[in-house]
């Protein structure tokens, strides 16, 4: 019986370590920001919101982002715009987040590369809308590897 209680305690502890509560509604705000960004870009490029993808990857161990479709690169996204993509307009410059976020995102992608045995230059996160829901995929080059919880990516962009 003692072993069973210990197993339950350990399971509960592991579960609680991964529980996050969005007390301030930050995730909802990020979802709204992302949906708004795709709405604006869909008008700019005259494409469906769901045909566009924000891809975040590593180039020379530095965080790089771009707006793409399945067939072409549309736009290289500067880091301040990427921060605003998550945090809201003006947050990158207002809070001086650029160097902090660049390091966090680079470290996060390198961690994912190691954890999933993906070469660092091939690992990327692809953010897109599917049925107006924000989906984040861990990818090995062009191949989808797995879903990434949006909350884990948001942590890299929080002030």
């Amino acid at each position: 019986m003692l072993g069973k209680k210990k197993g339950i305690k350990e399971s509960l502890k592991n579960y609680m370590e991964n529980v996050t509560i969005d007390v301030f509604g930050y995730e909802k705000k990020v979802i709204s920001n992302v949906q708004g960004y795709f709405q604006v870009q869909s008008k700019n490029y005259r494409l469906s919101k769901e045909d566009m993808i924000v891809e975040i990857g590593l180039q020379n161990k530095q965080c790089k982002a771009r707006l793409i479709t399945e067939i072409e690169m549309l736009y290289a996204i500067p880091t301040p715009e990427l921060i605003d993509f998550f945090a809201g307009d003006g947050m990158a410059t207002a809070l001086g987040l650029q160097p902090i976020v660049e390091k966090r995102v680079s470290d996060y992608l390198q961690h994912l590369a190691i954890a999933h045995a993906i070469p660092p230059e091939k690992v990327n996160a692809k953010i897109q809308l599917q049925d107006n829901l924000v989906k984040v995929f861990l990818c090995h080059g062009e191949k989808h590897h797995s879903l990434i919880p949006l909350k884990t990516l948001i942590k890299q962009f929080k002030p």
Side-chain angles (χ1 to χ4, degrees):
M1 185 71 173
L2 184 60
K4 191 173 188 178
K5 280 186 180 179
K6 186 176 180 182
I8 292 170
K9 272 181 138 175
E10 190 65 32
S11 293
L12 184 58
K13 180 183 173 210
N14 289 336
Y15 174 76
M16 292 306 290
E17 285 176 355
N18 293 319
V19 169
T20 57
I21 299 170
D22 190 18
V23 176
F24 300 106
Y26 194 72
E27 186 175 11
K28 285 181 185 177
K29 178 69 176 152
V30 169
I31 289 169
S32 177
N33 292 341
V34 169
Q35 290 169 332
Y37 181 86
F38 280 118
Q39 182 68 38
V40 167
Q41 296 304 336
S42 73
K43 287 178 183 171
N44 290 344
Y45 289 98
R46 294 186 174 110
L47 295 169
S48 164
K49 298 182 293 188
E50 296 191 358
D51 289 339
M52 294 183 292
I53 302 163
V54 170
E55 179 184 70
I56 306 169
L58 293 172
Q59 187 176 33
N60 299 323
K61 296 186 180 183
Q62 297 295 312
C63 167
K64 298 292 179 189
R66 57 195 192 140
L67 181 65
I68 63 172
T69 68
E70 292 291 333
I71 57 174
E72 67 180 323
M73 204 277 277
L74 301 172
Y75 172 65
I77 303 172
T79 303
E81 186 175 321
L82 183 64
I83 294 168
D84 290 348
F85 173 75
F86 282 97
D89 286 341
M91 295 302 285
T93 52
L95 300 175
L97 290 176
Q98 185 169 339
I100 296 164
V101 168
E102 285 174 343
K103 171 124 178 59
R104 283 186 195 159
V105 173
S106 294
D107 290 350
Y108 177 66
L109 289 172
Q110 288 179 45
H111 167 76
L112 288 173
I114 291 166
H116 296 281
I118 300 171
E121 66 278 358
K122 295 283 187 186
V123 71
N124 61 70
K126 291 186 178 175
I127 304 152
Q128 59 191 111
L129 295 179
Q130 292 181 349
D131 298 322
N132 214 35
L133 298 173
V134 177
K135 299 287 186 177
V136 184
F137 297 95
L138 171 64
C139 297
H140 179 163
E142 297 301 315
K143 182 181 166 204
H144 285 95
H145 188 281
S146 58
L147 273 171
I148 299 173
L150 179 60
K151 288 179 184 179
T152 62
L153 191 56
I154 289 172
K155 288 178 188 177
Q156 313 314 312
F157 290 88
K158 276 189 172 180

